[in-house]
Amino acid sequence: MARNPNAGKPRNTPAQMQSLRDEAIRSIGEMEEAILATRNQLRVMEAVMRRGRKMLESGRGASEVATVNHAAEARAATSEIIRRVQGARHRAQQAQFKLAAAEGATMAEIARGWGVSRQLVSRMVKEPMPRRRKG
């Protein structure tokens, strides 16, 4: 006889399920925005690198190139956007894991679908959703 992995577990109310679904949709949208911002920042960084290479090819000094080209600001902005993507990815993945679990999927099924460990899925389903950054 097949074992029902959800037997004995409390069922979520329709309102709870809708809340989980809304959070998954919201977090995926946040991830899309972060990806777009990353693409734009990478274009900026590409232009900075291209200018820097051309300046070096013309004989300018590396210190001068970094200062004139605002390399520090470009690097900091790129690092920040990558942190934003990582946070958004975590929230989107966690929200989808929580929704899938509430819909009745096992930790193993979710893990196989995402190509991650069952332990990671279990941990993420149990932990509270991280707070979103303002702005």
Side-chain angles (χ1 to χ4, degrees):
M1 176 181 226
R3 179 183 168 309
N4 179 353
N6 295 315
K9 290 184 182 177
R11 295 244 182 240
N12 290 304
T13 67
Q16 290 169 323
M17 291 299 292
Q18 188 59 51
S19 178
L20 288 168
R21 182 170 303 281
D22 290 346
E23 179 58 31
I25 292 166
R26 211 174 9 260
S27 65
I28 291 170
E30 179 186 344
M31 182 69 186
E32 289 174 34
E33 291 172 12
I35 290 168
L36 177 60
T38 301
R39 186 180 312 130
N40 292 337
Q41 181 58 37
L42 289 175
R43 285 184 183 126
V44 168
M45 196 65 180
E46 178 186 17
V48 167
M49 293 296 105
R50 184 180 304 111
R51 265 192 316 272
R53 180 180 45 79
K54 288 179 180 182
M55 291 171 75
L56 288 171
E57 288 171 349
S58 72
R60 293 176 83 170
S63 293
E64 179 188 7
V65 169
T67 303
V68 170
N69 215 10
H70 306 288
E73 293 90 342
R75 183 206 51 78
T78 301
S79 294
E80 176 56 32
I81 198 66
I82 289 170
R83 279 190 292 279
R84 183 176 156 208
V85 167
Q86 289 171 329
R89 181 201 49 82
H90 179 82
R91 286 185 296 277
Q93 194 173 37
Q94 183 182 24
Q96 291 174 80
F97 290 178
K98 286 178 177 279
L99 179 58
E103 291 172 342
T106 66
M107 300 298 126
E109 290 168 338
I110 298 166
R112 275 192 303 275
W114 282 83
V116 297
S117 72
R118 182 188 49 75
Q119 293 82 4
L120 175 66
V121 173
S122 179
R123 180 179 54 80
M124 289 178 76
V125 166
K126 290 176 185 174
E127 73 184 22
M129 289 297 291
R131 288 186 180 168
R132 281 192 164 72
R133 295 177 64 187
K134 300 291 183 196

